[in-house]
Amino acid sequence: MAPATRRAPLSRGPGSCLLAAALALAVLASPARLGASAAADGSSGAPDWHVVSVSSLLPSAVCTAVGARAASNSSSLSVVHRHGPCSPLLARAGGAPSHAEILDRDQDRVDSIHRRSSAAVDTARASKGVSLPARTGVSLGTGNYIVSVGLGTPRRDFSVVFDTGSDLSWVQCRPCNGCYEQQDPLFDPAQSSTYAAVPCGDPQCRGLDSWTCASSGSRCRYEVVYGDQSQTDGNLARDTLALGPSDALQGFVFGCGDDDSGLFGRADGLVGLGRNRVSLASQAAARYGAGFSYCLPSSPSAAGYLSLGGAAPSNAQFTAMVARGDTPSFYYLNLVGIKVAGRTVRVPEAVFRAPGTVIDSGTVITRLPETAYRALRGAFARFMRKYKRAPALSILDTCYDFTGYTTVQIPSVALVFSGGATVSLDFSGVLYVSKVSQACLAFASNGDDTSIGILGNTQQKTFAVVYDVANQKIGFAAKACT
């Protein structure tokens, strides 16, 4: 059941009746007092408050997915959270990690992204004799979403992480010199009639970040070392990739891993959606169009979708897609402001623009410059004074205890992007709820104003996030999967 959203806050918690009545009267007497945030679909008069049943704060332990799909798109794949009850990986993986573990590893991914974004500085340091570790991929973290794809002829299905921060797609293959334990049997190239190794002279080989060749006519060997020191090594190959029940991409280039280790859980591999030409998004552009979209569900017990190409929803709001030379695989956009309960949080636009903001499917919690985060936290806390504070949860320092309440009233949070796109977050994008007694503001600080900001997947929930690569813009359409 999706949380209800209303303009005037109502409460049924202990000692809150008089406060609720006062707030309701204040809103009726002076609507402008709380302001009016812009809706994600561009309409005016959106709610300033989320009024939510406490019983709906925690996800169901049972999968309630109904197979959400992008309309009229044969390449659409169902997306589920890898740690939720809909995940095919969970049953034999020993259960989901704790919230603290998820958030701690999320910080590892953020640190990895920050290291890559400061490559120019690192290179300068290395030239002065400072030893630096070589990494070609960001840390995968634990908050990723998975899709099921088919590979080979005949088709074999695999459950893989999808990641906008990675380029090369890969699965583990037989024979394997060193593979981690995964959900499904390893892909066997010998059993696929359409499999072919990519030779060293192929441009796809030489376009990789890290590749080796024994000779010009030999097979291309790839290596990806992620920020958390997980790694995959193997042969670059081509085969048929099945997308959905009846659609397929011939000659798809991917990594056939035979020496893999690290924190991949039981996922069978990864699908990369970055901007490099070896990514799935780039390889599929000629057939489906240059772009893709996805919708991440509000709850781990529900499903969203990933779709290649296709038309954007009619209610999508767009902002410019920005490219940066130091991290060419990432998708950037310009966050320029934040609203809380319809009021603009006072932060100079330059605070957001100076470091820039990357949108990332694999980072859980949005990271903001320190100045912006402090302003957001202060504004949010002023509207939450009625609730008892709870202990911090890992990187989340603004938490509340809703014990004893039947419903709670949470101020809306909207993100404002260049060009005027104003995205009013779903309730699931405002609070990260570990338990009723610990619900936390789902944003964190970078600790400074110089590290790049990151728009994480918690804030992207329920939106169709449209990567229109052809027109170099990113769009958000509300209520695409609920």
Side-chain angles (χ1 to χ4, degrees):
M1 176 180 177
T5 309
R6 304 174 189 171
R7 185 175 183 82
L10 303 174
S11 175
R12 298 177 185 174
S16 61
C17 293
L18 290 176
L19 180 57
L23 283 170
L25 287 173
V27 171
L28 290 173
S30 180
R33 183 174 180 180
L34 292 180
S37 63
D41 61 2
S43 62
S44 60
D48 290 334
W49 295 82
H50 297 282
V51 180
V52 185
S53 168
V54 171
S55 63
S56 71
L57 292 179
L58 298 176
S60 171
V62 178
C63 179
T64 60
V66 292
R69 280 183 176 273
S72 304
N73 197 317
S74 60
S75 70
S76 180
L77 303 171
S78 179
V79 169
V80 297
H81 197 285
R82 68 184 292 183
H83 302 308
C86 299
S87 172
L89 309 181
L90 193 61
R92 290 184 289 169
S98 69
H99 290 287
E101 289 172 330
I102 289 174
L103 295 172
D104 287 348
R105 285 188 58 188
D106 192 50
Q107 186 59 48
D108 291 340
R109 181 177 177 93
V110 169
D111 292 342
S112 176
I113 291 174
H114 286 163
R115 282 194 296 268
R116 290 195 70 183
S117 69
S118 59
V121 175
D122 288 347
T123 300
R125 290 177 58 204
S127 68
K128 297 178 181 179
V130 179
S131 177
L132 298 169
R135 298 182 176 90
T136 59
V138 297
S139 172
L140 293 181
T142 65
N144 299 297
Y145 290 82
I146 62 170
V147 295
S148 292
V149 297
L151 188 63
T153 307
R155 167 179 174 159
R156 284 277 317 282
D157 288 334
F158 297 94
S159 297
V160 294
V161 170
F162 85 87
D163 184 17
T164 59
S166 298
D167 291 310
L168 181 67
S169 303
W170 59 269
V171 296
Q172 296 196 112
C173 294
R174 296 183 62 186
C176 191
N177 299 321
C179 285
Y180 62 87
E181 185 178 359
Q182 67 175 45
Q183 177 73 16
D184 299 296
L186 302 184
F187 178 67
D188 187 351
Q191 300 301 313
S192 175
S193 63
T194 47
Y195 176 90
V198 173
C200 281
D202 194 295
Q204 290 283 28
C205 174
R206 298 182 179 274
L208 298 176
D209 288 336
S210 179
W211 55 275
T212 57
C213 289
S215 64
S216 60
S218 64
R219 295 179 176 182
C220 177
R221 294 284 298 179
Y222 76 89
E223 178 187 44
V224 179
V225 181
Y226 296 96
D228 56 12
Q229 294 304 300
S230 299
Q231 71 175 57
T232 174
D233 298 73
N235 294 313
L236 196 65
R238 284 189 173 92
D239 211 331
T240 299
L241 180 72
L243 303 166
S246 60
D247 213 8
L249 190 64
Q250 308 295 328
F252 176 66
V253 177
F254 69 102
C256 203
D258 55 30
D259 187 2
D260 314 306
S261 62
L263 304 175
F264 300 116
R266 294 182 61 91
D268 299 332
L270 178 145
V271 166
L273 292 168
R275 303 182 74 163
N276 187 285
R277 65 181 178 181
V278 78
S279 75
L280 171 58
S282 297
Q283 292 189 60
R287 176 165 183 172
Y288 300 105
F292 61 94
S293 63
Y294 56 74
C295 185
L296 307 179
S298 62
S299 166
S301 60
Y305 66 80
L306 166 65
S307 180
L308 298 173
S314 59
N315 64 330
Q317 291 189 93
F318 285 92
T319 187
M321 180 185 293
V322 181
R324 282 179 45 161
D326 55 359
T327 46
S329 293
F330 292 161
Y331 298 92
Y332 285 86
L333 37 61
N334 286 321
L335 177 66
V336 297
I338 301 176
K339 293 182 178 182
V340 175
R343 294 177 172 178
T344 298
V345 177
R346 295 183 178 179
V347 179
E349 186 175 316
V351 170
F352 297 103
R353 284 189 178 272
T357 303
V358 63
I359 180 170
D360 183 41
S361 69
T363 297
V364 179
I365 299 297
T366 288
R367 300 308 202 278
L368 297 172
E370 173 70 7
T371 296
Y373 175 70
R374 285 182 176 273
L376 167 63
R377 180 179 61 186
F380 186 81
R382 283 193 290 275
F383 286 103
M384 295 289 287
R385 288 173 179 165
K386 62 181 289 186
Y387 298 110
K388 179 182 176 182
R389 292 295 291 263
L393 174 62
S394 181
I395 58 175
L396 305 180
D397 61 11
T398 305
C399 305
Y400 299 90
D401 183 351
F402 297 145
T403 301
Y405 286 88
T406 303
T407 61
V408 291
Q409 304 88 40
I410 309 300
S412 66
V413 176
L415 304 179
V416 183
F417 298 96
S418 62
T422 302
V423 178
S424 186
L425 303 180
D426 184 76
F427 171 80
S428 60
V430 177
L431 286 183
Y432 185 99
V433 182
S434 67
K435 50 190 174 183
V436 170
S437 60
Q438 193 177 39
C440 306
L441 177 63
F443 291 80
S445 171
N446 268 333
D448 57 52
D449 284 352
T450 58
S451 300
I452 62 169
I454 304 173
L455 179 56
N457 61 44
T458 295
Q459 283 63 43
Q460 299 175 47
K461 289 179 179 179
T462 75
F463 289 92
V465 184
V466 182
Y467 293 71
D468 185 348
V469 178
N471 296 299
Q472 291 293 290
K473 58 184 182 178
I474 296 175
F476 301 89
K479 300 180 181 179
C481 58
T482 57

